[in-house]
């Protein structure tokens, strides 16, 4: 039981780090790169304001 709790905690931390990294990558993209992805600065700004835990 304790092992499963630790595994879930590690999985949660891993997902939060992945999402944080993805948000950082979006934040540093140029307008041209965002356009190629089909995204706008407004969409990125909205995404960056969202708390990590609610993603």
């Amino acid at each position: 039981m304790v092992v499963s709790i630790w595994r879930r905690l590690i999985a949660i931390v891993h997902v939060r780090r992945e999402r944080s990294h993805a948000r950082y990558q979006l934040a540093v993209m140029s307008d041209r790169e965002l356009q190629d992805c089909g995204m706008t600065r407004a969409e990125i700004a909205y995404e960056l304001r969202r708390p990590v835990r609610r993603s």
Side-chain angles (χ1 to χ4, degrees):
M1 184 166 154
V2 173
V3 173
S4 68
I5 292 171
W6 277 108
R7 285 183 182 163
R8 283 182 31 183
L9 180 60
I10 290 169
I12 290 169
V13 169
H14 181 71
V15 167
R16 288 184 63 158
R17 284 184 178 207
E18 285 179 346
R19 291 178 180 167
S20 177
H21 181 71
R23 288 180 175 163
Y24 171 77
Q25 287 179 320
L26 288 172
V28 299
M29 290 177 98
S30 70
D31 289 336
R32 177 67 181 161
E33 291 171 320
L34 291 174
Q35 186 180 17
D36 289 344
C37 295
M39 301 181 87
T40 65
R41 282 273 167 220
E43 292 170 327
I44 301 305
Y46 171 77
E47 182 63 28
L48 293 174
R49 283 192 303 268
R50 291 177 57 201
V52 173
R53 68 184 180 280
R54 293 185 182 176
S55 298

